[in-house]
Every structure is written in structure tokens, then in C-alpha cells.
Amino acid sequence: MKKILPILCVLSITACVSKEKFIDTLDHKKDWVELQTQLPTYPEASNLLEFNIGPTSNHRYYVDSTSITIGKDGVIRYSLVVKSAQGAENTTFEGIRCETKEKKRYALGRNDKTWGQPRISEWQRLENITRDYAQRELAKYYFCPRGLIVGSPEEAIQALKAGVHPKALR
């Protein structure tokens, strides 16, 4: 028994000195904090960049180039304008979090070109959304190529102008 006690002490000390960092899977990535955002100016037609979401819709989709920002919280924020074939227009201010493949709507555009609060303003998984094809396309082909956020608003603008980010896989 006297010989086993010193061995157990040595083993317990070496276990505490492990070089691997312990990650609690229950708390993993819970330290992310969303930054408070400011609403951009309402989009003007001269700043809109059209992008294609494919044959699933007859609508036309635009991002206001002056509204694109990349926050220190890892969220790319932008104003989205959707125009129907009949002339109706919907404007929203949204964010995409590339790391988690989520989107959030911060504001809705009103007819008087001001912003209003949406009914639902919480993070939603892009895969679980049945009708927001535009956000999935923006994430996959323009703002989050290969799941990584673009490095600057200019990079996002170049991707929109080119029709796809050069690192995106189509």
C-alpha cells in the first residue's frame, strides 16, 4: 500500500499538467456576443447591386452596397431589396453569421423610406428557412465563400459585381 500511494500522487500530478486545453462541450462557443448595430441610411437605387438566386423566383434581388458592414462580432450586415415582377418592393436590413450559418432580420423598410422593427428578430439557421433563398445564396456565393466571412465590404461588393465570389464553389 505504501508503494501505491506515491505512484497515485505522481499520476494525478501529471494528469493536471496536460498540455491539451480542456473544452467543455456544453459551453463551447457560448461566449459569442452580438454587437449592437446601427441602422444604415435607407437604400437608394443608385447603390443597389443585383444578384441572382437562380430559377426559383421571378423576383429581382439587390444589396445596397453602402450598407455592407462586417462587425467585430463576425456578422456581415447589409440592406436587401426585393422587387417583384408586378413592381412591389420589400426592403430589409439583415445580418448573416457565416460561422454558424444563421441570419437575422434587424429592420423592415416602410413606404416612407424609414425603418421599422420586425415581428421576429432572432437568429435563424439558414437551412431551416423555407423561403429565404436570397440569404442562403448571399451566404454561400457572396459573403461566406466556403463558410468563411469575406474580409471587407469591398470584397463583398466585388463578389456581387462579379456574380459570385472567386472562392465560392458552384
Side-chain angles (χ1 to χ4, degrees), residues 29-169:
K29 295 187 181 183
K30 283 191 179 179
D31 58 349
W32 179 77
V33 176
E34 181 178 8
L35 296 178
Q36 191 169 9
T37 188
Q38 296 226 324
L39 295 174
T41 57
Y42 204 83
E44 294 182 23
S46 61
N47 298 325
L48 298 180
L49 298 174
E50 187 170 8
F51 67 97
N52 187 356
I53 70 156
T56 59
S57 175
N58 293 330
H59 299 339
R60 297 178 76 180
Y61 297 85
Y62 305 87
V63 170
D64 176 14
S65 60
T66 62
S67 69
I68 300 171
T69 61
I70 299 173
K72 292 183 181 186
D73 56 1
V75 176
I76 184 164
R77 294 176 177 87
Y78 57 94
S79 294
L80 175 68
V81 178
V82 181
K83 296 182 181 181
S84 74
Q86 294 78 22
E89 189 173 298
N90 286 322
T91 304
T92 55
F93 179 60
E94 305 181 348
I96 292 176
R97 190 168 174 225
C98 299
E99 183 180 358
T100 58
K101 297 179 183 169
E102 294 176 299
K103 74 103 178 174
K104 181 177 183 177
R105 185 165 291 148
Y106 294 100
L108 298 172
R110 296 182 180 138
N111 290 337
D112 63 355
K113 300 195 183 291
T114 61
W115 295 110
Q117 189 171 357
R119 283 183 277 165
I120 298 173
S121 183
E122 55 192 42
W123 289 101
Q124 298 175 315
R125 303 264 315 150
L126 287 171
E127 292 86 20
N128 297 340
I129 300 168
T130 57
R131 61 186 180 276
D132 290 332
Y133 300 111
Q135 291 81 355
R136 280 194 293 250
E137 292 295 309
L138 283 171
K140 189 172 184 180
Y141 297 115
Y142 301 97
F143 296 162
C144 312
R146 298 186 185 169
L148 302 172
I149 193 167
V150 292
S152 67
E154 293 77 20
E155 185 179 345
I157 290 168
Q158 289 303 319
L160 288 163
K161 286 181 177 178
V164 67
H165 193 283
K167 293 181 183 175
L169 303 173

